[in-house]
Amino acid sequence: MRIGIIGAGNIGGNLTRRLTALGHEVAVANSRGPHTLGALAEETGATPVAAADAARGAQVVVVTVPLKAVPDLPTGFLDGAADGVAVIDTGNYYPQQRDGRIAAIEEGLPESLWTQERIGHPVIKAFNGTYAQDILDNGRPQGSPGRQALPVAGDDQAAKRLVRDLIDELGFDTVDAGGLDESWRQQPGTPVYGNQGDADAIVKALASASPERTAQWRA
């Protein structure tokens, strides 16, 4: 499968490592340009590209950049993607730590709905509460006892299925966390955020979430 990854930080870098190891054709981009991705490309065999080209021909595109950087993504960066491309949003709103105040999110708009509106394409929320090291270390064969599970939210059912299958290939179970209007259940500060539990634990954590943002996660 052709996969584009925009953002080569902890999550983006480790997804590049795992997905190339599984035999996928990965194009990876960051904000500083492909010339800065030589080491990652040499390590993984991924193709370093400009952000405007990362989605070209891709069936899956991973957007894993700081939320404040989403509006700066190249205009039309998804135009060359494959029909039905699944766009994964791994982002989190960190107002005090990084992103500054985003009024619509402070007023209750789920973070991934804000991102979806900015990029003009449906997104699937996944990997946002996953430790980057887990992507490298915690994958297990399907059916393994206690296999770690990840919540996945989104409204495009075909795209969600594709993303869940890809996560299964990476070695993790998934839990359908509903549509993006319910995706606040996996935002920072919720019980599922950073939760390394199995599917049953993730279901319980999602159910116990509150829509009220705690002080740590407000501007």
Side-chain angles (χ1 to χ4, degrees):
M1 188 187 308
R2 178 149 192 170
I3 299 172
I5 298 179
I6 302 176
N10 293 334
I11 295 291
N14 284 353
L15 283 174
T16 299
R17 293 178 176 94
R18 287 296 317 283
L19 291 167
T20 52
L22 289 168
H24 295 287
E25 181 184 352
V26 176
V28 61
N30 65 7
S31 61
R32 295 175 294 152
H35 65 282
T36 66
L37 293 168
L40 182 63
E42 184 176 355
E43 176 192 348
T44 64
T47 302
V49 297
D53 299 323
R56 189 160 297 165
Q59 294 146 287
V60 174
V61 174
V62 184
V63 176
T64 180
V65 301
L67 226 64
K68 67 179 181 179
V70 168
D72 299 326
L73 290 169
T75 301
F77 74 97
L78 293 171
D79 289 351
D83 290 343
V85 61
V87 179
I88 301 174
D89 168 35
T90 78
N92 291 306
Y93 176 49
Y94 297 137
Q96 298 176 34
Q97 301 87 345
R98 183 189 66 196
D99 296 315
R101 188 178 193 276
I102 298 176
I105 295 175
E106 291 286 337
E107 293 163 8
L109 184 70
E111 296 164 16
S112 285
L113 274 174
W114 182 86
T115 295
Q116 179 172 277
E117 290 176 0
R118 303 284 85 69
I119 69 173
H121 190 283
V123 303
I124 304 298
K125 189 178 190 71
F127 297 108
N128 74 290
T130 310
Y131 295 109
Q133 198 62 34
D134 289 352
I135 294 170
L136 292 184
D137 296 344
N138 287 8
R140 298 289 183 271
Q142 193 176 73
S144 297
R147 193 187 197 210
Q148 186 173 334
L150 279 59
V152 180
D155 301 313
D156 182 328
Q157 296 305 312
K160 185 188 283 187
R161 183 71 265 165
L162 181 59
V163 172
R164 294 182 71 183
D165 288 346
L166 188 63
I167 293 171
D168 178 63
E169 189 180 354
L170 286 164
F172 301 90
D173 286 341
T174 58
V175 171
D176 189 333
L180 286 189
D181 58 344
E182 290 288 308
S183 64
W184 54 265
R185 294 181 181 275
Q186 63 194 80
Q187 292 178 170
T190 62
V192 83
Y193 183 76
N195 192 318
Q196 296 168 302
D198 63 9
D200 287 343
I202 298 305
V203 168
K204 291 174 184 175
L206 288 167
S208 64
S210 167
E212 297 299 319
R213 302 187 74 94
T214 59
Q216 181 183 2
W217 306 110
R218 296 190 69 90

